[in-house]
Amino acid sequence: MRTELDLSQLKITQADEALALAAHSIHCEAQYAPWSEATFLDCTTAPYECWVMLCDGQVIGFVILLVVLDEVTLMDIAISEELRGQGAGKRMLDFVINRCKQLNASSCFLEVRESNLAAHTLYVNSGFELLERRKGYYPTKDGREDALMMSLSISADSHHANPV
């Protein structure tokens, strides 16, 4: 049975170690070749930021950002598998764009698997544009697949994201 999300009840907060450990399990379910727990926990310290999405106190999603000078790279983002497709990912991406504005970033970069059509559509609808294709970037069970490198130009007056 699918759990229905009440988007008004979602909360995004910066992860401490316990929250990051809970987020790592979502990372593992979302990635073919997940990062180790130690690598994931390292992403809670500068220059990285790890943010989690909570519903009723439970971690249901996360995002990891790399902040260098005036650029932000969205390193990883995922929503718990059983809760995807209900708007939580859009809410998390809106948070990322607003966070970029708070950090006075000029750009946000990301890469996405070519086969991840839902994420690619979300990014395009949020204003991200294709920069380049990296051939054979991601490992898969059948070999390798291309990564689509995307960017979003950030400005204080841009209207890409809704307030979170």
Side-chain angles (χ1 to χ4, degrees):
M1 170 126 190
R2 181 178 165 113
T3 303
E4 293 298 319
L5 276 179
D6 178 352
L7 296 178
S8 70
Q9 297 301 306
L10 300 180
K11 177 182 174 191
I12 299 172
T13 189
Q14 198 155 16
D16 59 15
E17 185 172 327
L19 292 172
L21 286 171
H24 183 255
S25 66
I26 296 170
H27 167 78
C28 289
E29 79 180 20
Q31 297 293 333
Y32 173 75
W35 300 336
S36 70
E37 195 173 89
T39 298
F40 197 89
L41 286 176
D42 189 51
C43 292
T44 63
T45 60
Y48 297 95
E49 294 183 357
C50 181
W51 296 86
V52 294
M53 179 175 279
L54 302 172
C55 183
D56 294 327
Q58 298 297 309
V59 175
I60 64 158
F62 73 92
V63 65
I64 293 177
L65 306 175
L66 171 62
V67 181
V68 178
L69 301 175
D70 70 337
E71 295 179 351
V72 174
T73 301
L74 194 164
M75 301 294 294
D76 197 11
I77 185 171
I79 301 298
S80 184
E81 189 171 9
E82 70 272 7
L83 299 174
R84 292 180 192 153
Q86 299 184 59
K90 169 89 169 91
R91 176 75 57 91
M92 185 65 91
L93 186 60
D94 286 346
F95 170 83
V96 168
I97 294 168
N98 286 319
R99 181 70 182 140
C100 288
K101 291 176 185 179
Q102 289 174 349
L103 294 167
N104 294 314
S106 63
S107 303
C108 182
F109 298 94
L110 61 83
E111 62 198 34
V112 60
R113 288 178 181 272
E114 182 176 37
S115 65
N116 191 343
L117 298 179
H120 183 256
T121 300
L122 175 62
Y123 299 142
V124 168
N125 289 343
S126 295
F128 283 82
E129 297 177 347
L130 181 66
L131 287 176
E132 67 178 282
R133 174 186 302 270
R134 289 193 176 165
K135 294 281 188 194
Y137 186 79
Y138 286 111
T140 70
K141 65 180 176 67
D142 300 321
R144 303 197 69 79
E145 104 176 82
D146 293 354
L148 304 177
M149 305 300 301
M150 303 182 80
S151 71
L152 176 68
S153 180
I154 305 290
S155 65
D157 61 344
S158 65
H159 299 288
H160 296 293
N162 297 320
V164 177

